[in-house]
């Protein structure tokens, strides 16, 4: 259990309801089993309160100098969790470390889509919750400090945008430029209570260099005319925003 946060509130009532779901699963782990967790997380602490399994705090294995192919502190923490599991399973440490170093990530998680003819990088990420967004952008800012970081964000669900609105507004502070696409409706109907324009206006009030566009095609065209060799485009969201990067790479 890496962390527990308020999400999927279209299904769960609140954070306590989410914690109860984790509790139900954690309590099924038997006494001779293990739960690898961030036991400093307040929600995780509550979940682990009555478990009979052995709880392993993977944070004790965190090593910021660990050599990884993937970026960001969150991936260093993930590697620590993987190390904890490896220790439980008695995996040879040298083999474990070599595999962690080679792990290149997964589809739509800080995924390099390609490089434009002028040298600009195009990445894509599935992050769609404020905590994920902040953490992912921080990883890019650390790995590419000299790049112009352009985040192209597509909010996912009207309900999520509304419920986490204030947190979304403050999630993009480390980006040099933010472009916001229309909200990806998925399974919901637009109730008219929130829009991507509302989000951009609130971000601008916080000093974020943000723009709203009404289609993915419009975003693609705007980027084509403004990217330089030091630009890094990061498309972000759980919908179809990755089409922007693919269109840019096609030329």
């Amino acid at each position: 259990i890496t962390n527990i946060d308020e999400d999927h509130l279209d299904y769960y009532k609140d954070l306590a309801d989410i914690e109860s779901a984790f509790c139900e699963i954690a309590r099924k782990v038997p006494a001779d089993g293990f739960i690898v967790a961030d036991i400093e997380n307040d929600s995780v602490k509550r979940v682990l309160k009555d478990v009979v399994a052995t709880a392993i705090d993977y944070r004790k294995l965190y090593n910021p100098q660990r050599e990884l192919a993937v970026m960001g502190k969150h991936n260093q923490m993930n590697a620590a969790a993987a190390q904890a599991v490896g220790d439980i399973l008695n995996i040879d440490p040298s083999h474990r470390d070599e595999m962690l170093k080679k792990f290149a990530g997964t589809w739509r998680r800080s995924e390099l889509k390609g490089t434009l003819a002028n040298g600009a990088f195009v990445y894509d990420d599935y992050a769609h919750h404020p905590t994920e967004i902040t953490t992912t952008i921080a990883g890019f800012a650390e790995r590419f400090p000299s790049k112009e970081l352009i985040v192209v964000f597509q909010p996912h669900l009207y309900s999520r945008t509304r419920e986490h609105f204030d947190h979304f507004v403050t999630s993009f502070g480390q980006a040099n430029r933010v472009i916001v696409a229309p909200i990806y409706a998925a399974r919901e109907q637009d109730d008219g209570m929130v829009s991507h324009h509302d989000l951009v206006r609130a971000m601008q009030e916080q000093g974020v260099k943000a723009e709203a566009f009404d289609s993915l095609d419009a975003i693609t065209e705007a980027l084509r005319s403004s990217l330089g060799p030091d630009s890094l485009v990061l498309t972000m969201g759980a919908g179809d925003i990755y089409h922007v990067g693919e269109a840019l790479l096609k030329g």
Side-chain angles (χ1 to χ4, degrees), residues 186-221:
R187 55 189 177 273
E188 295 183 342
Q189 296 294 320
D190 184 1
D191 57 11
M193 294 181 65
V194 68
S195 75
H196 62 303
H197 289 281
D198 297 329
L199 194 57
V200 164
R201 280 192 290 270
M203 291 167 70
Q204 290 171 341
E205 290 173 1
Q206 296 296 316
V208 178
K209 188 179 179 182
E211 310 163 74
F213 286 84
D214 291 332
S215 72
L216 301 190
D217 287 342
I219 292 172
T220 303
E221 290 307 311

Side-chain angles (χ1 to χ4, degrees), residues 72-222:
K73 180 180 178 180
H74 61 298
N75 278 314
Q76 291 286 2
M77 294 299 293
N78 290 339
Q83 179 180 340
V85 174
D87 290 345
I88 293 168
L89 299 176
N90 294 315
I91 293 175
D92 177 75
S94 61
H95 177 68
R96 175 202 67 208
D97 292 345
E98 184 66 19
M99 292 300 100
L100 284 173
K101 185 170 69 173
K102 289 181 178 180
F103 177 65
T106 61
W107 178 67
R108 301 214 64 209
R109 288 295 186 185
S110 301
E111 178 188 6
L112 176 62
K113 302 292 289 186
T115 304
L116 300 182
N118 68 354
F121 294 161
V122 179
Y123 279 84
D124 179 60
D125 197 273
Y126 188 75
H128 55 282
H129 182 275
T131 303
E132 296 173 340
I133 292 167
T134 302
T135 302
T136 301
I137 292 176
F140 275 88
E142 179 183 14
R143 176 68 67 91
F144 302 103
S146 63
K147 290 287 187 182
E148 178 197 23
L149 179 54
I150 303 168
V151 178
V152 184
F153 175 58
Q154 183 185 50
H156 187 262
L157 299 179
Y158 298 101
S159 60
R160 180 180 284 119
T161 305
R162 185 172 60 252
E163 288 154 357
H164 297 291
F165 189 90
D166 291 342
H167 290 136
F168 278 124
V169 169
T170 59
S171 294
F172 297 86
Q174 288 190 267
N176 299 110
R177 180 184 175 194
V178 182
I179 294 174
V180 184
I183 297 170
Y184 190 80
R187 55 189 177 273
E188 295 183 342
Q189 296 294 320
D190 184 1
D191 57 11
M193 294 181 65
V194 68
S195 75
H196 62 303
H197 289 281
D198 297 329
L199 194 57
V200 164
R201 280 192 290 270
M203 291 167 70
Q204 290 171 341
E205 290 173 1
Q206 296 296 316
V208 178
K209 188 179 179 182
E211 310 163 74
F213 286 84
D214 291 332
S215 72
L216 301 190
D217 287 342
I219 292 172
T220 303
E221 290 307 311

Side-chain angles (χ1 to χ4, degrees), residues 9-85:
L9 296 178
D10 54 326
Y11 181 82
Y12 296 103
K13 292 183 295 184
D14 50 26
L15 181 60
D17 194 23
I18 297 171
E19 290 176 6
S20 71
F22 275 88
C23 282
E24 182 179 350
I25 296 170
R27 289 171 185 169
K28 291 180 179 179
V29 183
D32 61 348
F34 299 86
I35 300 175
V36 175
D38 174 3
I39 65 174
E40 295 303 314
N41 181 282
D42 289 338
S43 290
V44 176
K45 280 182 182 179
R46 289 189 285 269
V47 166
L48 296 178
K49 185 178 179 181
D50 296 318
V51 300
V52 295
T54 299
I56 303 294
D57 183 6
Y58 70 83
R59 292 180 65 95
K60 293 180 179 179
L61 301 174
Y62 171 65
N63 176 12
Q65 304 305 316
R66 190 193 304 268
E67 187 177 352
L68 298 176
V70 290
M71 68 186 82
K73 180 180 178 180
H74 61 298
N75 278 314
Q76 291 286 2
M77 294 299 293
N78 290 339
Q83 179 180 340
V85 174

